[in-house]
């Protein structure tokens, strides 16, 4: 989707996005402290059911459950070498859940490391991490 296509869509009125995916997945059995992306890939029915319900409730956009599926965060779980495949599969699950009538957006969240000067990560490194995930 181009910026103009998104602007045109937004100009038509309010856009509804999903929300509370993480807490809903915990209710569905996802353990705390576990790699959520890995759990979703091992239990795809949970995200499919949840996102299908978001679409049925009127969401125009759902976030793919790519949360912290970036090189830095996945390295902590020993999964950094599976980054590309995991992100692609997580997006596919969202598309399967909502069909073609709902947009699927990537979700980029924390690396778990503070940026300089409050932490050790340089801004440029963070940009590189997010570019790779995207």
């Amino acid at each position: 989707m181009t910026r103009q296509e998104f602007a045109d869509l937004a100009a038509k009125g309010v856009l509804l996005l999903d929300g509370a995916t993480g807490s809903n997945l915990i209710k569905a059995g996802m353990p705390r402290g576990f790699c959520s992306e890995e759990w979703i890939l091992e239990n795809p029915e949970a995200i499919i059911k949840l996102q299908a319900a978001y679409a049925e409730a009127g969401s125009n956009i759902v976030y793919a459950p790519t949360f912290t599926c970036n090189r830095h965060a996945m390295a902590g779980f020993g999964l950094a070498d599976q980054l590309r495949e995991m992100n692609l599969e997580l997006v596919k699950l969202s598309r399967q859940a909502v069909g073609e009538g709902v947009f699927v957006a990537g979700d980029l969240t924390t690396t778990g490391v503070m940026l300089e000067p409050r932490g050790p990560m340089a801004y440029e490194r963070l940009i590189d991490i997010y570019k790779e995930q995207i």
Side-chain angles (χ1 to χ4, degrees), residues 16-18 51 54-55 59-64 94-95 98 102-106:
L16 299 176
L17 283 75
D18 67 5
Q51 290 187 324
Y54 287 146
S59 289
N60 303 101
I61 303 169
V62 297
Y63 288 110
S94 292
R95 176 56 59 211
V98 300
V102 175
F103 291 100
V104 175

Side-chain angles (χ1 to χ4, degrees), residues 98-120:
V98 300
E100 294 298 322
V102 175
F103 291 100
V104 175
D107 191 353
L108 306 175
T109 60
T110 184
T111 62
V113 179
M114 295 286 288
L115 289 177
E116 293 175 339
R118 300 180 104 189

Side-chain angles (χ1 to χ4, degrees), residues 2 8 16 18 20 25 30 38-39 45 50 54 60 62 67-69 71 73 95 105 110 112 117-118 123 132:
T2 66
D8 292 344
L16 299 176
D18 67 5
L25 289 173
M30 183 177 73
E38 183 178 26
W39 186 87
E45 65 286 343
L50 177 60
Y54 287 146
N60 303 101
V62 297
F67 313 120
T68 59
C69 201
R71 179 158 304 280
R95 176 56 59 211
T110 184
R118 300 180 104 189
Y123 177 77
E132 179 183 32

Side-chain angles (χ1 to χ4, degrees), residues 55-86:
E56 188 174 318
S59 289
N60 303 101
I61 303 169
V62 297
Y63 288 110
T66 52
F67 313 120
T68 59
C69 201
N70 61 67
R71 179 158 304 280
H72 192 276
M74 290 294 105
F77 296 106
L79 298 168
D81 61 333
Q82 297 176 42
L83 181 67
R84 177 176 170 76
E85 294 78 14
M86 289 177 73

